[in-house]
Amino acid sequence: MESVPGTEDVFPEESARWRAVENCARAVFDRYGYGEIRVPLLERTEVFERSIGASTDVVQKEMYTFEDRGGRSLTLRPEATASVVRAVLGRGVGQGPWRLHYMGPMFRNERPQKGRYRQFHQIGVEAIGGVTAATDAEVILMLCDILRDLGLRKTRLLLNTLGSPEDRAAVVEAYRAFFAARLDAMCEDCRRRYRTNVLRILDCKREDCRRAVAAAPDVSSVVSEASHDEFRRTVSLLQAAGLAPEIEPRLVRGLDYYVHAVYEVVHEGLGAQDAIAGGGRYRISPGGTTSVEGSGFALGIERLLLALDAEDARPPGTPPPDAYLVSPGAGDLDDNFRLAHELRNRGLRILMDIEFRSVKSQMRRAHRSGAIAAVVRGGEERSAGFAVVKRMDSGAEQRVPEADLASALRELVGRRQAAAHRAGDGDTPC
Ligand code: HAM
């Protein structure tokens, strides 16, 4: 039976790459002092409605919302910013400043296609409390550090400002005035957006609408001088750190909570769904009363892996085993089972056959596993307290006393690591 459309099973060869990406991100978060928060996958529906905005596509048509047995409306989280803000409000924003990161599944009922899923996974960051232009820059730097450490090169960082909440009325007014005379030539969705959320028109993909948008004023031309200064500071901090953000004056985001700096990282190898990550400064009030200012981003893991594929920059997969323990006779199995357990407890990666296969078949498996050595231990070796260590590359054999086996294997592992490092394979991302 197949999985639900828009959801995917991830098997070990792939999940090892996921882990490499997650570990890389964790290493970056550690360097910046961002701790992990784990928030529930389920929230009260109003948490998202109030935060993301009632007129957004996410709230209008993409949420998995249902009534539980007690008649409460619950939603599988379509993103985690609203949940994190809710959680922080519960503890007290003043207990912060909060510098948090998270990883996990999100759910949106979108039409599935390459790079767009109904269950997808994000790595995200939320800085809440004490947020300034430097916080925006710090958050963006973390995102770019992760992408760089993973070896991704063909990304562009697109950046814009939406101005302060106080600027919003003027921005909306300017766009309403501009689009009013052009509405007849625009799509039905944009005519609705004109009333509910005029900035979203800037993001319409239809040809007619894009023509109108091309002549529209930049958001930044309408915002106040103070908002400009705020934005310029973020840009200059990023430039001083060696980044080259591209100012994209028509960039708006699909969620309504953003103010000031907004951005997306796009990748040229991804086609229509080219945004690997998005974020910005936001103001949210998930409880409907206190509003909270934060700054954050979310990175889509599936799209990131597609981008890494497109660049052939694969993060490391599962490391191969150190040794494969071969049992020549069925009678050797139980004692070798014990030995494998002992060696694993001493930190070695050991595979062994526990299905009574022939020695030939076990040796074939040992080769295929990528193990450095096969450890052959039959009745004769067991009674003499030895094992035969056979190197898979050269075929060289060595009789090793059982008590010295772990250190002999560790030495072989060390030699392989040193050789890989000399060959440059040791420079794995992160
Ligand atoms: P978002 O732009 O909706 O922002 O999502 C961020 C990233 O999640 C996207 O750039 C994309 O890589 C991935 N993504 C979104 N939808 C899908 C999907 N259906 N299938 C696969 N990947 C997807 C947010 O979610 C905000 N909460 C980001 C943020 C955090 N802003 C401030 N803090």
Side-chain angles (χ1 to χ4, degrees):
M1 209 155 90
E2 287 179 0
S3 66
V4 172
T7 70
E8 286 192 332
D9 303 306
V10 182
F11 279 82
E13 62 189 50
E14 258 309 278
S15 63
R17 301 177 67 214
W18 285 61
R19 246 177 27 185
V21 166
E22 289 158 4
N23 289 343
C24 180
R26 284 202 176 93
V28 171
F29 298 143
D30 283 349
R31 298 206 291 264
Y32 284 82
Y34 279 59
E36 181 174 2
I37 183 166
R38 298 187 184 207
V39 287
L41 270 56
L42 269 184
E43 291 282 350
R44 289 185 187 83
T45 302
E46 66 257 29
V47 169
F48 301 115
E49 284 174 344
R50 288 196 190 117
S51 309
I52 298 173
S55 70
T56 57
D57 283 353
V58 172
V59 168
Q60 290 219 325
K61 46 191 186 196
E62 293 171 2
M63 295 205 303
Y64 283 100
T65 296
F66 59 94
E67 261 189 23
D68 73 0
R69 284 163 198 267
R72 285 168 289 254
S73 178
L74 299 181
T75 294
L76 280 175
R77 63 181 189 192
E79 58 110 52
T81 309
S83 310
V84 172
V85 171
R86 182 213 31 84
V88 165
L89 271 169
R91 274 286 187 92
V93 179
Q95 305 289 312
W98 298 93
R99 299 293 179 260
L100 303 167
H101 78 81
Y102 52 86
M103 301 180 182
M106 311 291 157
F107 305 86
R108 294 183 195 176
N109 193 2
E110 295 191 81
R111 198 166 48 77
Q113 63 182 82
K114 188 182 168 202
R116 190 161 73 192
Y117 310 95
R118 289 181 172 164
Q119 176 177 331
F120 58 98
H121 299 76
Q122 288 184 343
I123 295 175
V125 153
E126 311 299 345
I128 298 166
V131 172
T132 67
T135 321
D136 294 334
E138 177 174 273
V139 166
I140 294 172
L141 280 180
M142 273 192 284
L143 169 59
C144 294
D145 281 2
I146 295 171
L147 301 177
R148 183 209 53 213
D149 286 358
L150 284 167
L152 212 57
R153 296 284 170 267
K154 297 177 184 160
T155 53
R156 293 165 60 208
L157 169 63
L158 311 178
L159 196 58
N160 193 20
T161 179
L162 299 182
S164 67
E166 295 71 39
D167 292 336
R168 191 54 55 93
V171 172
V172 167
E173 196 41 53
Y175 282 103
R176 285 238 172 94
F178 175 79
F179 285 118
R182 295 167 174 82
L183 276 184
D184 287 348
M186 299 178 78
C187 73
E188 205 177 306
D189 277 344
C190 281
R191 270 181 255 151
R192 181 179 46 81
R193 287 174 188 134
Y194 179 81
R195 281 177 277 112
T196 59
N197 196 348
V198 69
L199 275 178
R200 295 289 308 141
I201 293 181
L202 299 184
D203 214 18
C204 186
K205 303 285 180 282
R206 307 257 180 112
E207 208 38 57
D208 290 343
C209 304
R210 287 176 80 102
R211 261 198 297 278
V213 167
D218 296 348
V219 186
S220 58
S221 68
V222 188
V223 305
S224 66
E225 201 43 44
S227 295
H228 264 297
D229 285 346
E230 181 93 348
F231 187 56
R232 272 194 285 265
R233 179 146 182 260
T234 301
V235 173
S236 82
L237 286 168
L238 292 174
Q239 286 168 338
L243 294 190
E246 297 173 39
I247 308 303
E248 176 58 60
R250 304 257 151 54
L251 179 73
V252 288
R253 305 259 307 130
L255 313 166
D256 271 358
Y257 46 57
Y258 291 105
V259 293
H260 290 294
V262 286
Y263 46 90
E264 286 186 354
V265 171
V266 295
H267 190 275
E268 62 186 55
L270 289 190
Q273 310 303 322
D274 66 349
I276 306 181
R281 184 94 66 91
Y282 52 83
R283 206 171 263 198
I284 292 187
S285 163
T289 46
T290 322
S291 96
V292 170
E293 187 154 308
S295 181
F297 71 80
L299 172 65
I301 300 185
E302 288 87 350
R303 288 193 199 167
L304 172 64
L305 289 169
L306 286 170
L308 286 164
D309 281 342
E311 283 194 31
D312 234 358
R314 296 180 69 86
T318 317
D322 299 326
Y324 195 104
L325 187 48
V326 174
S327 309
D332 303 319
L333 217 131
D334 288 9
D335 197 42
N336 282 345
F337 191 82
R338 171 200 59 80
L339 177 64
H341 182 238
E342 253 174 56
L343 293 172
R344 287 173 185 140
N345 280 343
R346 297 180 72 176
L348 288 155
R349 281 190 286 260
I350 307 292
L351 288 192
M352 77 174 280
D353 180 74
I354 48 175
E355 293 171 58
F356 306 113
R357 288 195 180 82
S358 68
V359 172
K360 208 169 138 192
S361 154
Q362 291 183 56
M363 285 306 291
R364 238 194 337 262
R365 279 163 190 268
H367 267 290
R368 242 188 284 143
S369 73
I372 306 170
V375 175
V376 185
R377 190 165 170 271
E380 191 199 322
E381 288 85 11
R382 285 196 295 125
S383 50
F386 280 89
V388 175
V389 174
K390 180 175 171 153
R391 287 186 53 156
M392 305 311 286
D393 52 358
S394 61
E397 290 186 7
Q398 189 191 352
R399 276 168 74 83
V400 178
E402 195 183 309
D404 300 338
L405 198 53
S407 49
L409 290 175
R410 234 178 261 124
E411 197 185 317
L412 288 180
V413 173
R415 271 195 243 157
R416 175 162 73 177
Q417 279 167 351
H421 202 74
R422 274 196 303 278
D425 301 351
D427 295 335
T428 43
C430 291

